[in-house]
Amino acid sequence: MRKGEAMTNMTDMRDQTTATSRRWVALDFLRGVMLLMMMVDHAFFMGFTQWTVAKEWLYGFFGYVTAAEGFYFLSGLVCALVFYRGFLPGAVVPTARLWRRVRTIWCWHLVTVVAAYLCVILYATDRDATLVANPYLSRFLEHPLGVLMLAPIFLARPPFLDILPLYVHYLAAAPLLLRWFATGRAWLVWLVTGLLWGVGQFGAWNALFESLRKTWPDLPVDGGYFDPCSWLLPFVLGLTVGCHWQSRGLTTIRAYGAVLFPASVLACVFFWAHRHGLIVGVPPFFAPLIDIGRLGPIRVVNLLGAITVLGFLIAWFPRVFVWGPIAFLGRHSLHVFVYQVVLLFAAIPVWVWTQDLPPGDPRGLALLGVTLLSLWIPAWLHHRMGQ
């Protein structure tokens, strides 16, 4: 090979590496943004109950899409980008690495359960009406020990402790799903996903736990807010994009996106305006269509539109989606999320106090600002421990 050809090839490889790194940073950036949005949403749910207007406008950044859908999509996307090639015929199968990830997430879930239990026990003597009336805490307050025993095996999933179990389920299923993708059976992945999503629309998961509660009325069995059958869909959607990215590159993805982009923009604008009642004469959607727990059909369409719009925005304005502090937060998303959940329970008296603040009170705004800034503490600690 001549020197000029070698230099050209090295330049091409360097450009490809830079482009790939930029895309990965963009994914970290998006996770960082969603962590901040999730913290704001949870703070409004736990406290600041008088800030109804602010909560209404900040919750749902693309209409009927929240940070939760984005997290599961990105989880599937990153899973495929990291592990897909290992499931191609003849490759070294990385199943053990995936199972280690499953174990890690389960261990952090256990940490959140124990921490939440200790917080609830600590504040159990101060069960004033405001605290007990909070639906995000009442189940745990009623059966703290039962939740502590059942949550690690996923039979009790109180609010804020029902997110990580889904990651465990989906990553445990990922080796099978990725093998199907790698061996040309994507249709089988989507057949199973579609059937499970359909089962979720009929509430079979919740019906199962209702029957368990009738059988064991003294146990706080709880299926959680998010139906695992329905919420597999955004994870598999991420897997699909990631596998296609790894096997065929971004060319065909961009081609499909270019066709869908105008309709996606219109859909996102419509859903956002409809959600906030800005479209005169259009009645509200039938509740099951936008149900978040079961991931109703409108939410799925809205999610597809949001993914397409964001994908093109990243491609057109890559420098906007690589801002260091936000990307740094997203790079340590698991540990930041665990910190956030523990903080929600540890700060129970603070959330009770905020409910008596008038809207726009500077003390409340300062508290929310400090809470958001504190998310960088676990990210920095994990970064330092990883060095």
Side-chain angles (χ1 to χ4, degrees):
M1 181 181 294
R2 293 193 300 271
K3 181 178 180 180
E5 293 176 346
M7 291 297 293
T8 300
N9 290 339
M10 290 177 64
T11 301
D12 291 342
M13 292 175 62
R14 185 167 59 250
D15 291 342
Q16 292 172 7
T17 302
T18 302
T20 302
S21 300
R22 181 174 296 172
R23 287 193 293 268
W24 280 88
V25 173
L27 299 183
D28 289 333
F29 178 89
L30 291 177
R31 282 190 293 204
V33 170
M34 288 186 291
L35 282 168
L36 292 171
M37 295 180 63
M38 187 174 287
M39 185 72 253
V40 172
D41 292 339
H42 287 168
F44 279 138
F45 291 146
M46 293 285 285
F48 303 105
T49 54
Q50 75 281 32
W51 291 20
T52 306
V53 176
K55 180 168 64 175
E56 174 66 20
W57 285 93
L58 291 175
Y59 185 69
F61 53 94
F62 270 96
Y64 296 98
V65 176
T66 66
E69 289 94 333
F71 268 118
Y72 288 115
F73 170 79
L74 287 178
S75 178
L77 175 60
V78 172
C79 180
L81 292 177
V82 173
F83 296 109
Y84 169 75
R85 295 186 184 277
F87 288 90
L88 293 172
V92 178
V93 181
T95 304
R97 290 175 58 199
L98 266 167
W99 277 105
R100 281 197 298 270
R101 184 62 176 169
V102 170
R103 183 181 61 192
T104 298
I105 294 176
W106 179 83
C107 288
W108 281 111
H109 171 63
L110 187 59
V111 169
T112 60
V113 171
V114 173
Y117 168 78
L118 293 176
C119 292
V120 169
I121 292 299
L122 178 63
Y123 302 128
T125 57
D126 185 26
R127 298 186 182 186
D128 55 51
T130 304
L131 185 57
V132 175
N134 191 323
Y136 296 95
L137 296 173
S138 56
R139 296 179 203 165
F140 216 147
L141 286 169
E142 291 170 359
H143 303 281
L145 186 59
V147 172
L148 177 67
M149 301 303 295
L150 294 179
I153 57 175
F154 310 134
L155 289 179
R157 309 184 190 205
F160 308 126
L161 300 176
D162 56 351
I163 301 293
L164 292 182
L166 296 193
Y167 282 100
V168 173
H169 300 333
Y170 301 156
L171 287 177
L176 176 62
L177 301 176
L178 287 171
R179 185 174 294 280
W180 285 348
F181 272 117
T183 53
R185 290 178 286 178
W187 63 270
L188 184 56
V189 177
W190 276 103
L191 176 62
V192 172
T193 302
L195 289 174
L196 287 175
W197 180 81
V199 168
Q201 300 312 296
F202 290 98
W205 177 260
N206 288 331
L208 170 63
F209 276 82
E210 287 176 6
S211 64
L212 290 176
R213 278 194 291 272
K214 292 178 181 178
T215 305
W216 297 293
D218 296 328
L219 294 178
V221 291
D222 181 3
Y225 185 62
F226 300 97
D227 189 306
C229 299
S230 301
W231 278 78
L232 177 63
L233 193 149
F235 180 81
V236 169
L237 183 59
L239 283 180
T240 303
V241 175
C243 291
H244 202 87
W245 184 348
Q246 288 288 68
S247 61
R248 301 182 185 180
L250 289 173
T251 303
T252 53
I253 295 177
R254 286 172 176 166
Y256 289 129
V259 174
L260 297 174
F261 182 74
S264 298
V265 173
L266 291 176
C268 288
V269 171
F270 171 78
F271 288 135
W272 182 84
H274 182 273
R275 182 178 177 277
H276 295 293
L278 301 178
I279 303 179
V280 180
V282 179
F285 288 123
F286 184 45
L289 297 178
I290 56 174
D291 186 89
I292 185 173
R294 301 179 185 180
L295 199 67
I298 293 295
R299 287 186 174 273
V300 175
V301 175
N302 200 170
L303 176 62
L304 289 170
I307 291 169
T308 303
V309 172
L310 280 174
F312 272 89
L313 289 177
I314 291 172
W316 290 336
F317 309 102
R319 297 184 182 277
V320 175
F321 295 87
V322 295
W323 191 48
I326 304 296
F328 178 77
L329 197 65
R331 201 171 304 127
H332 306 277
S333 57
L334 174 59
H335 303 84
V336 174
F337 177 79
V338 169
Y339 165 82
Q340 180 187 141
V341 173
V342 173
L343 178 64
L344 289 171
F345 283 94
I348 287 175
V350 177
W351 308 126
V352 175
W353 171 72
T354 61
Q355 295 180 15
D356 296 326
L357 294 177
D361 190 295
R363 293 173 295 174
L365 294 176
L367 173 63
L368 188 58
V370 171
T371 301
L372 293 174
L373 289 174
S374 73
L375 296 182
W376 273 269
I377 296 175
W380 180 80
L381 291 174
H382 183 246
H383 173 72
R384 293 291 296 177
M385 288 187 294
Q387 290 182 342

